[in-house]
mmCIF file of all heavy atoms in Angstrom:
data_model
loop_
_atom_site.group_PDB
_atom_site.id
_atom_site.type_symbol
_atom_site.label_atom_id
_atom_site.label_comp_id
_atom_site.label_asym_id
_atom_site.label_seq_id
_atom_site.Cartn_x
_atom_site.Cartn_y
_atom_site.Cartn_z
ATOM 1 N N VAL O 24 79.768 106.685 125.386
ATOM 2 C CA VAL O 24 79.188 105.317 125.079
ATOM 3 C C VAL O 24 79.081 105.040 123.572
ATOM 4 O O VAL O 24 79.486 104.066 123.127
ATOM 5 C CB VAL O 24 77.738 105.234 125.655
ATOM 6 C CG1 VAL O 24 76.961 103.996 125.088
ATOM 7 C CG2 VAL O 24 77.768 105.072 127.226
ATOM 8 N N LEU O 25 78.541 106.013 122.815
ATOM 9 C CA LEU O 25 78.354 105.785 121.380
ATOM 10 C C LEU O 25 79.749 105.698 120.683
ATOM 11 O O LEU O 25 79.917 104.822 119.720
ATOM 12 C CB LEU O 25 77.516 106.906 120.787
ATOM 13 C CG LEU O 25 76.056 106.987 121.342
ATOM 14 C CD1 LEU O 25 75.360 108.233 120.775
ATOM 15 C CD2 LEU O 25 75.286 105.755 121.118
ATOM 16 N N THR O 26 80.648 106.688 120.978
ATOM 17 C CA THR O 26 82.006 106.645 120.396
ATOM 18 C C THR O 26 82.650 105.293 120.610
ATOM 19 O O THR O 26 83.261 104.767 119.685
ATOM 20 C CB THR O 26 82.820 107.737 120.972
ATOM 21 O OG1 THR O 26 82.125 108.974 120.708
ATOM 22 C CG2 THR O 26 84.116 107.745 120.248
ATOM 23 N N THR O 27 82.555 104.813 121.812
ATOM 24 C CA THR O 27 83.260 103.476 122.145
ATOM 25 C C THR O 27 82.624 102.326 121.483
ATOM 26 O O THR O 27 83.349 101.556 120.782
ATOM 27 C CB THR O 27 83.127 103.198 123.686
ATOM 28 O OG1 THR O 27 83.699 104.360 124.420
ATOM 29 C CG2 THR O 27 83.924 102.000 124.050
ATOM 30 N N LEU O 28 81.303 102.249 121.410
ATOM 31 C CA LEU O 28 80.664 101.117 120.631
ATOM 32 C C LEU O 28 80.901 101.194 119.172
ATOM 33 O O LEU O 28 81.183 100.180 118.554
ATOM 34 C CB LEU O 28 79.072 101.198 120.928
ATOM 35 C CG LEU O 28 78.721 100.769 122.356
ATOM 36 C CD1 LEU O 28 77.311 100.975 122.537
ATOM 37 C CD2 LEU O 28 79.093 99.288 122.627
ATOM 38 N N ASN O 29 80.837 102.412 118.562
ATOM 39 C CA ASN O 29 81.039 102.515 117.168
ATOM 40 C C ASN O 29 82.637 102.137 116.860
ATOM 41 O O ASN O 29 82.834 101.436 115.796
ATOM 42 C CB ASN O 29 80.868 103.967 116.670
ATOM 43 C CG ASN O 29 79.318 104.272 116.562
ATOM 44 O OD1 ASN O 29 78.578 103.321 116.335
ATOM 45 N ND2 ASN O 29 79.030 105.505 116.881
ATOM 46 N N ALA O 30 83.552 102.509 117.657
ATOM 47 C CA ALA O 30 84.942 102.264 117.517
ATOM 48 C C ALA O 30 85.194 100.770 117.618
ATOM 49 O O ALA O 30 85.815 100.105 116.738
ATOM 50 C CB ALA O 30 85.762 103.004 118.495
ATOM 51 N N PHE O 31 84.695 100.055 118.624
ATOM 52 C CA PHE O 31 84.877 98.656 118.752
ATOM 53 C C PHE O 31 84.263 97.866 117.690
ATOM 54 O O PHE O 31 84.764 96.765 117.323
ATOM 55 C CB PHE O 31 84.351 98.241 120.174
ATOM 56 C CG PHE O 31 85.385 98.380 121.262
ATOM 57 C CD1 PHE O 31 85.677 99.688 121.906
ATOM 58 C CD2 PHE O 31 86.241 97.294 121.658
ATOM 59 C CE1 PHE O 31 86.513 99.813 122.814
ATOM 60 C CE2 PHE O 31 87.121 97.472 122.580
ATOM 61 C CZ PHE O 31 87.365 98.632 123.195
ATOM 62 N N SER O 32 83.113 98.274 117.181
ATOM 63 C CA SER O 32 82.423 97.524 116.053
ATOM 64 C C SER O 32 83.386 97.580 114.866
ATOM 65 O O SER O 32 83.454 96.559 114.126
ATOM 66 C CB SER O 32 81.118 98.314 115.706
ATOM 67 O OG SER O 32 80.107 97.992 116.661
ATOM 68 N N ARG O 33 84.048 98.702 114.662
ATOM 69 C CA ARG O 33 84.905 98.762 113.436
ATOM 70 C C ARG O 33 86.252 97.953 113.654
ATOM 71 O O ARG O 33 86.882 97.599 112.714
ATOM 72 C CB ARG O 33 85.289 100.255 113.113
ATOM 73 C CG ARG O 33 84.137 100.947 112.422
ATOM 74 C CD ARG O 33 84.227 102.531 112.600
ATOM 75 N NE ARG O 33 83.188 103.140 111.918
ATOM 76 C CZ ARG O 33 81.871 103.167 112.230
ATOM 77 N NH1 ARG O 33 81.477 102.510 113.295
ATOM 78 N NH2 ARG O 33 80.996 103.771 111.433
ATOM 79 N N LEU O 34 86.626 97.817 114.878
ATOM 80 C CA LEU O 34 87.858 97.074 115.220
ATOM 81 C C LEU O 34 87.556 95.486 115.075
ATOM 82 O O LEU O 34 88.568 94.770 115.013
ATOM 83 C CB LEU O 34 88.308 97.447 116.636
ATOM 84 C CG LEU O 34 88.942 98.769 116.783
ATOM 85 C CD1 LEU O 34 89.242 99.155 118.290
ATOM 86 C CD2 LEU O 34 90.263 98.930 116.013
ATOM 87 N N GLU O 35 86.444 95.163 115.239
ATOM 88 C CA GLU O 35 86.076 93.723 115.328
ATOM 89 C C GLU O 35 86.697 92.908 114.157
ATOM 90 O O GLU O 35 87.377 91.888 114.445
ATOM 91 C CB GLU O 35 84.523 93.505 115.270
ATOM 92 C CG GLU O 35 84.133 92.076 115.778
ATOM 93 C CD GLU O 35 84.496 91.749 117.199
ATOM 94 O OE1 GLU O 35 84.569 92.648 118.042
ATOM 95 O OE2 GLU O 35 84.482 90.535 117.473
ATOM 96 N N PRO O 36 86.627 93.256 112.933
ATOM 97 C CA PRO O 36 87.159 92.387 111.839
ATOM 98 C C PRO O 36 88.693 92.371 111.984
ATOM 99 O O PRO O 36 89.311 91.338 111.670
ATOM 100 C CB PRO O 36 86.689 93.053 110.581
ATOM 101 C CG PRO O 36 85.489 93.895 110.918
ATOM 102 C CD PRO O 36 85.786 94.368 112.306
ATOM 103 N N ILE O 37 89.329 93.554 112.364
ATOM 104 C CA ILE O 37 90.754 93.645 112.501
ATOM 105 C C ILE O 37 91.147 92.643 113.682
ATOM 106 O O ILE O 37 92.226 91.928 113.603
ATOM 107 C CB ILE O 37 91.231 94.983 112.745
ATOM 108 C CG1 ILE O 37 90.809 95.932 111.655
ATOM 109 C CG2 ILE O 37 92.752 95.124 112.970
ATOM 110 C CD1 ILE O 37 90.987 97.400 111.835
ATOM 111 N N LYS O 38 90.444 92.718 114.728
ATOM 112 C CA LYS O 38 90.722 91.831 115.952
ATOM 113 C C LYS O 38 90.722 90.412 115.592
ATOM 114 O O LYS O 38 91.575 89.636 116.014
ATOM 115 C CB LYS O 38 89.772 92.156 117.060
ATOM 116 C CG LYS O 38 90.072 91.529 118.346
ATOM 117 C CD LYS O 38 89.108 91.799 119.411
ATOM 118 C CE LYS O 38 87.715 91.078 119.161
ATOM 119 N NZ LYS O 38 86.734 91.239 120.164
ATOM 120 N N ALA O 39 89.725 90.012 114.756
ATOM 121 C CA ALA O 39 89.659 88.692 114.388
ATOM 122 C C ALA O 39 90.857 88.187 113.607
ATOM 123 O O ALA O 39 91.282 87.050 113.689
ATOM 124 C CB ALA O 39 88.433 88.399 113.557
ATOM 125 N N LEU O 40 91.368 89.156 112.827
ATOM 126 C CA LEU O 40 92.627 88.719 112.038
ATOM 127 C C LEU O 40 93.850 88.705 112.903
ATOM 128 O O LEU O 40 94.699 87.777 112.843
ATOM 129 C CB LEU O 40 92.842 89.608 110.871
ATOM 130 C CG LEU O 40 91.862 89.637 109.726
ATOM 131 C CD1 LEU O 40 92.107 90.759 108.822
ATOM 132 C CD2 LEU O 40 91.882 88.381 109.046
ATOM 133 N N LEU O 41 93.984 89.621 113.806
ATOM 134 C CA LEU O 41 95.164 89.756 114.654
ATOM 135 C C LEU O 41 95.266 88.625 115.670
ATOM 136 O O LEU O 41 96.270 88.022 116.050
ATOM 137 C CB LEU O 41 95.068 90.972 115.460
ATOM 138 C CG LEU O 41 95.420 92.254 114.833
ATOM 139 C CD1 LEU O 41 95.192 93.482 115.665
ATOM 140 C CD2 LEU O 41 96.739 92.317 114.216
ATOM 141 N N PHE O 42 94.123 88.097 116.161
ATOM 142 C CA PHE O 42 93.995 87.004 117.070
ATOM 143 C C PHE O 42 93.309 85.755 116.454
ATOM 144 O O PHE O 42 92.614 85.102 117.116
ATOM 145 C CB PHE O 42 93.234 87.460 118.303
ATOM 146 C CG PHE O 42 93.883 88.706 118.917
ATOM 147 C CD1 PHE O 42 93.330 89.975 118.813
ATOM 148 C CD2 PHE O 42 95.044 88.602 119.762
ATOM 149 C CE1 PHE O 42 93.802 91.104 119.405
ATOM 150 C CE2 PHE O 42 95.746 89.829 120.252
ATOM 151 C CZ PHE O 42 95.052 90.968 120.146
ATOM 152 N N GLY O 43 93.678 85.542 115.192
ATOM 153 C CA GLY O 43 93.066 84.397 114.525
ATOM 154 C C GLY O 43 93.858 83.085 114.926
ATOM 155 O O GLY O 43 94.303 82.323 114.035
ATOM 156 N N ASN O 44 93.601 82.765 116.131
ATOM 157 C CA ASN O 44 94.362 81.488 116.646
ATOM 158 C C ASN O 44 93.373 80.430 117.046
ATOM 159 O O ASN O 44 93.668 79.468 117.772
ATOM 160 C CB ASN O 44 95.231 81.825 117.838
ATOM 161 C CG ASN O 44 94.419 82.289 119.123
ATOM 162 O OD1 ASN O 44 93.225 82.530 118.893
ATOM 163 N ND2 ASN O 44 94.969 82.194 120.202
ATOM 164 N N SER O 45 92.185 80.552 116.540
ATOM 165 C CA SER O 45 91.148 79.523 116.813
ATOM 166 C C SER O 45 90.862 78.675 115.689
ATOM 167 O O SER O 45 89.933 78.776 114.863
ATOM 168 C CB SER O 45 89.829 80.302 117.166
ATOM 169 O OG SER O 45 90.062 81.279 118.139
ATOM 170 N N MET O 46 91.765 77.689 115.520
ATOM 171 C CA MET O 46 91.827 76.766 114.361
ATOM 172 C C MET O 46 91.260 75.388 114.712
ATOM 173 O O MET O 46 91.422 74.937 115.893
ATOM 174 C CB MET O 46 93.104 76.637 113.804
ATOM 175 C CG MET O 46 93.651 77.870 113.225
ATOM 176 S SD MET O 46 95.363 77.791 112.653
ATOM 177 C CE MET O 46 96.281 77.576 114.207
ATOM 178 N N LEU O 47 90.541 74.805 113.874
ATOM 179 C CA LEU O 47 90.087 73.427 114.068
ATOM 180 C C LEU O 47 91.196 72.442 113.426
ATOM 181 O O LEU O 47 91.204 72.052 112.261
ATOM 182 C CB LEU O 47 88.717 73.179 113.238
ATOM 183 C CG LEU O 47 87.591 73.757 114.029
ATOM 184 C CD1 LEU O 47 86.312 73.690 113.140
ATOM 185 C CD2 LEU O 47 87.227 72.962 115.300
ATOM 186 N N LEU O 48 92.159 72.155 114.266
ATOM 187 C CA LEU O 48 93.255 71.366 113.743
ATOM 188 C C LEU O 48 92.752 69.969 113.308
ATOM 189 O O LEU O 48 91.865 69.429 113.936
ATOM 190 C CB LEU O 48 94.282 71.170 114.880
ATOM 191 C CG LEU O 48 94.966 72.441 115.365
ATOM 192 C CD1 LEU O 48 95.969 72.130 116.372
ATOM 193 C CD2 LEU O 48 95.675 73.101 114.185
ATOM 194 N N ASP O 49 93.344 69.510 112.193
ATOM 195 C CA ASP O 49 92.886 68.215 111.594
ATOM 196 C C ASP O 49 91.501 68.295 110.995
ATOM 197 O O ASP O 49 90.973 67.256 110.603
ATOM 198 C CB ASP O 49 92.863 67.059 112.617
ATOM 199 C CG ASP O 49 94.183 66.805 113.206
ATOM 200 O OD1 ASP O 49 95.218 66.989 112.545
ATOM 201 O OD2 ASP O 49 94.282 66.443 114.442
ATOM 202 N N GLU O 50 90.937 69.561 110.867
ATOM 203 C CA GLU O 50 89.596 69.640 110.323
ATOM 204 C C GLU O 50 89.439 71.072 109.949
ATOM 205 O O GLU O 50 89.540 71.937 110.806
ATOM 206 C CB GLU O 50 88.580 69.167 111.303
ATOM 207 C CG GLU O 50 87.176 69.178 110.740
ATOM 208 C CD GLU O 50 86.080 68.732 111.810
ATOM 209 O OE1 GLU O 50 86.547 68.367 112.900
ATOM 210 O OE2 GLU O 50 84.965 68.848 111.517
ATOM 211 N N GLN O 51 89.095 71.310 108.735
ATOM 212 C CA GLN O 51 88.894 72.778 108.282
ATOM 213 C C GLN O 51 90.016 73.684 108.774
ATOM 214 O O GLN O 51 89.820 74.783 109.260
ATOM 215 C CB GLN O 51 87.596 73.398 108.814
ATOM 216 C CG GLN O 51 86.352 72.514 108.384
ATOM 217 C CD GLN O 51 85.075 73.167 108.718
ATOM 218 O OE1 GLN O 51 84.833 74.451 108.576
ATOM 219 N NE2 GLN O 51 84.043 72.445 109.267
ATOM 220 N N GLU O 52 91.204 73.263 108.398
ATOM 221 C CA GLU O 52 92.342 74.015 108.870
ATOM 222 C C GLU O 52 92.545 75.402 108.151
ATOM 223 O O GLU O 52 93.420 76.213 108.417
ATOM 224 C CB GLU O 52 93.653 73.235 108.790
ATOM 225 C CG GLU O 52 93.797 72.093 109.800
ATOM 226 C CD GLU O 52 95.018 71.397 109.889
ATOM 227 O OE1 GLU O 52 95.975 71.709 109.192
ATOM 228 O OE2 GLU O 52 95.140 70.421 110.670
ATOM 229 N N ASP O 53 91.797 75.551 106.976
ATOM 230 C CA ASP O 53 91.860 76.865 106.306
ATOM 231 C C ASP O 53 91.140 78.012 107.164
ATOM 232 O O ASP O 53 91.289 79.130 106.690
ATOM 233 C CB ASP O 53 91.158 76.722 104.925
ATOM 234 C CG ASP O 53 89.744 76.199 104.984
ATOM 235 O OD1 ASP O 53 89.451 75.419 105.918
ATOM 236 O OD2 ASP O 53 89.026 76.577 104.095
ATOM 237 N N LEU O 54 90.466 77.659 108.153
ATOM 238 C CA LEU O 54 89.715 78.616 108.966
ATOM 239 C C LEU O 54 90.756 79.167 110.000
ATOM 240 O O LEU O 54 91.173 78.294 110.881
ATOM 241 C CB LEU O 54 88.506 78.002 109.616
ATOM 242 C CG LEU O 54 87.193 77.924 108.845
ATOM 243 C CD1 LEU O 54 86.202 77.170 109.784
ATOM 244 C CD2 LEU O 54 86.693 79.166 108.438
ATOM 245 N N LEU O 55 91.097 80.405 110.080
ATOM 246 C CA LEU O 55 92.036 81.031 110.969
ATOM 247 C C LEU O 55 91.309 81.267 112.308
ATOM 248 O O LEU O 55 91.910 81.304 113.341
ATOM 249 C CB LEU O 55 92.666 82.218 110.472
ATOM 250 C CG LEU O 55 93.781 82.011 109.400
ATOM 251 C CD1 LEU O 55 94.388 83.340 108.935
ATOM 252 C CD2 LEU O 55 94.958 81.149 109.847
ATOM 253 N N CYS O 56 90.090 81.643 112.160
ATOM 254 C CA CYS O 56 89.282 82.067 113.405
ATOM 255 C C CYS O 56 87.906 81.485 113.250
ATOM 256 O O CYS O 56 86.974 82.113 112.602
ATOM 257 C CB CYS O 56 89.267 83.551 113.540
ATOM 258 S SG CYS O 56 88.494 84.033 115.145
ATOM 259 N N CYS O 57 87.717 80.374 113.890
ATOM 260 C CA CYS O 57 86.320 79.678 113.700
ATOM 261 C C CYS O 57 85.414 80.048 114.811
ATOM 262 O O CYS O 57 84.254 79.763 114.867
ATOM 263 C CB CYS O 57 86.494 78.223 113.644
ATOM 264 S SG CYS O 57 87.228 77.420 115.174
ATOM 265 N N ARG O 58 85.878 80.874 115.889
ATOM 266 C CA ARG O 58 84.983 81.220 117.029
ATOM 267 C C ARG O 58 83.777 81.884 116.476
ATOM 268 O O ARG O 58 82.693 81.860 117.048
ATOM 269 C CB ARG O 58 85.766 81.852 118.121
ATOM 270 C CG ARG O 58 86.721 81.009 118.849
ATOM 271 C CD ARG O 58 87.060 81.623 120.230
ATOM 272 N NE ARG O 58 86.001 81.375 121.196
ATOM 273 C CZ ARG O 58 85.130 82.267 121.454
ATOM 274 N NH1 ARG O 58 85.000 83.419 120.937
ATOM 275 N NH2 ARG O 58 84.239 81.966 122.399
ATOM 276 N N ASP O 59 84.007 82.879 115.580
ATOM 277 C CA ASP O 59 82.826 83.643 115.080
ATOM 278 C C ASP O 59 81.792 82.717 114.485
ATOM 279 O O ASP O 59 80.528 82.924 114.650
ATOM 280 C CB ASP O 59 83.263 84.714 113.995
ATOM 281 C CG ASP O 59 84.094 85.879 114.669
ATOM 282 O OD1 ASP O 59 84.075 85.984 115.848
ATOM 283 O OD2 ASP O 59 84.651 86.622 113.831
ATOM 284 N N MET O 60 82.198 81.751 113.761
ATOM 285 C CA MET O 60 81.242 80.806 113.157
ATOM 286 C C MET O 60 80.553 80.082 114.275
ATOM 287 O O MET O 60 79.338 79.733 114.165
ATOM 288 C CB MET O 60 82.076 79.733 112.212
ATOM 289 C CG MET O 60 81.135 78.693 111.741
ATOM 290 S SD MET O 60 82.136 77.250 110.958
ATOM 291 C CE MET O 60 82.663 76.488 112.414
ATOM 292 N N PHE O 61 81.330 79.599 115.284
ATOM 293 C CA PHE O 61 80.654 78.910 116.469
ATOM 294 C C PHE O 61 79.464 79.688 116.985
ATOM 295 O O PHE O 61 78.452 79.125 117.134
ATOM 296 C CB PHE O 61 81.718 78.591 117.571
ATOM 297 C CG PHE O 61 82.574 77.553 117.272
ATOM 298 C CD1 PHE O 61 83.877 77.582 117.907
ATOM 299 C CD2 PHE O 61 82.391 76.510 116.407
ATOM 300 C CE1 PHE O 61 84.874 76.495 117.720
ATOM 301 C CE2 PHE O 61 83.316 75.519 116.116
ATOM 302 C CZ PHE O 61 84.567 75.483 116.835
ATOM 303 N N TRP O 62 79.658 80.989 117.168
ATOM 304 C CA TRP O 62 78.511 81.676 117.702
ATOM 305 C C TRP O 62 77.429 82.092 116.682
ATOM 306 O O TRP O 62 76.300 81.908 116.899
ATOM 307 C CB TRP O 62 79.084 82.993 118.281
ATOM 308 C CG TRP O 62 79.757 82.787 119.573
ATOM 309 C CD1 TRP O 62 81.057 82.337 119.831
ATOM 310 C CD2 TRP O 62 79.084 83.009 120.866
ATOM 311 N NE1 TRP O 62 81.214 82.269 121.143
ATOM 312 C CE2 TRP O 62 80.154 82.588 121.874
ATOM 313 C CE3 TRP O 62 77.933 83.364 121.323
ATOM 314 C CZ2 TRP O 62 79.862 82.628 123.164
ATOM 315 C CZ3 TRP O 62 77.704 83.491 122.723
ATOM 316 C CH2 TRP O 62 78.588 83.074 123.692
ATOM 317 N N GLU O 63 77.872 82.610 115.465
ATOM 318 C CA GLU O 63 76.916 83.138 114.534
ATOM 319 C C GLU O 63 76.126 82.015 113.894
ATOM 320 O O GLU O 63 75.027 82.238 113.429
ATOM 321 C CB GLU O 63 77.760 83.933 113.546
ATOM 322 C CG GLU O 63 78.292 85.243 114.122
ATOM 323 C CD GLU O 63 79.287 85.927 113.139
ATOM 324 O OE1 GLU O 63 79.330 85.499 112.044
ATOM 325 O OE2 GLU O 63 79.894 86.906 113.585
ATOM 326 N N ASN O 64 76.663 80.796 113.730
ATOM 327 C CA ASN O 64 75.958 79.706 113.078
ATOM 328 C C ASN O 64 75.492 78.654 114.078
ATOM 329 O O ASN O 64 75.383 77.404 113.738
ATOM 330 C CB ASN O 64 76.860 79.049 112.014
ATOM 331 C CG ASN O 64 77.189 80.009 110.884
ATOM 332 O OD1 ASN O 64 78.290 80.492 110.689
ATOM 333 N ND2 ASN O 64 76.100 80.321 110.078
ATOM 334 N N SER O 65 75.241 79.107 115.228
ATOM 335 C CA SER O 65 74.492 78.329 116.223
ATOM 336 C C SER O 65 73.185 78.925 116.637
ATOM 337 O O SER O 65 72.733 79.900 115.952
ATOM 338 C CB SER O 65 75.503 78.324 117.558
ATOM 339 O OG SER O 65 75.333 79.490 118.255
ATOM 340 N N THR O 66 72.507 78.297 117.524
ATOM 341 C CA THR O 66 71.238 78.872 117.880
ATOM 342 C C THR O 66 71.345 80.337 118.480
ATOM 343 O O THR O 66 70.381 81.023 118.561
ATOM 344 C CB THR O 66 70.489 77.959 119.025
ATOM 345 O OG1 THR O 66 71.355 77.635 119.944
ATOM 346 C CG2 THR O 66 69.990 76.642 118.210
ATOM 347 N N HIS O 67 72.508 80.661 118.985
ATOM 348 C CA HIS O 67 72.720 82.037 119.390
ATOM 349 C C HIS O 67 72.591 83.028 118.256
ATOM 350 O O HIS O 67 72.194 84.256 118.467
ATOM 351 C CB HIS O 67 74.103 82.207 119.855
ATOM 352 C CG HIS O 67 74.376 81.676 121.278
ATOM 353 N ND1 HIS O 67 73.459 81.847 122.249
ATOM 354 C CD2 HIS O 67 75.487 80.977 121.857
ATOM 355 C CE1 HIS O 67 73.847 81.240 123.461
ATOM 356 N NE2 HIS O 67 75.052 80.672 123.128
ATOM 357 N N GLY O 68 72.791 82.480 116.956
ATOM 358 C CA GLY O 68 72.798 83.375 115.814
ATOM 359 C C GLY O 68 71.476 83.481 115.154
ATOM 360 O O GLY O 68 71.390 84.082 114.036
ATOM 361 N N ILE O 69 70.426 82.825 115.691
ATOM 362 C CA ILE O 69 69.149 82.870 114.954
ATOM 363 C C ILE O 69 68.688 84.305 114.771
ATOM 364 O O ILE O 69 68.086 84.718 113.826
ATOM 365 C CB ILE O 69 68.044 82.067 115.799
ATOM 366 C CG1 ILE O 69 68.380 80.497 115.672
ATOM 367 C CG2 ILE O 69 66.642 82.308 115.394
ATOM 368 C CD1 ILE O 69 67.543 79.674 116.459
ATOM 369 N N ASN O 70 68.888 85.104 115.878
ATOM 370 C CA ASN O 70 68.751 86.526 115.722
ATOM 371 C C ASN O 70 70.210 87.176 115.606
ATOM 372 O O ASN O 70 70.951 87.195 116.582
ATOM 373 C CB ASN O 70 68.054 87.081 117.123
ATOM 374 C CG ASN O 70 67.895 88.612 116.925
ATOM 375 O OD1 ASN O 70 68.385 89.276 116.005
ATOM 376 N ND2 ASN O 70 67.089 89.194 117.869
#
């Protein structure tokens, strides 16, 4: 359990770059992966 969670936490930034296909076309197109922003800067991310 611990080894898996620690490994996946370290892979998260790499995964965001490899699968950075979440663009807001016609708006903020400099963002390659906006899904993290959607979650982290919503009410889900208050904590």
Side-chain angles (χ1 to χ4, degrees):
V24 168
L25 299 177
T26 302
T27 304
L28 287 174
N29 286 327
F31 273 81
S32 289
R33 283 159 175 73
L34 288 172
E35 192 69 21
I37 301 171
K38 186 181 72 174
L40 292 174
L41 288 175
F42 303 104
N44 65 345
S45 304
M46 296 175 286
L47 284 170
L48 297 180
D49 301 324
E50 185 181 354
Q51 299 189 47
E52 292 189 1
D53 56 328
L54 284 174
L55 288 179
C56 186
C57 62
R58 287 200 81 263
D59 288 351
M60 177 195 73
F61 283 157
W62 283 82
E63 293 170 6
N64 295 111
S65 72
T66 50
H67 283 317
I69 290 175
N70 181 346

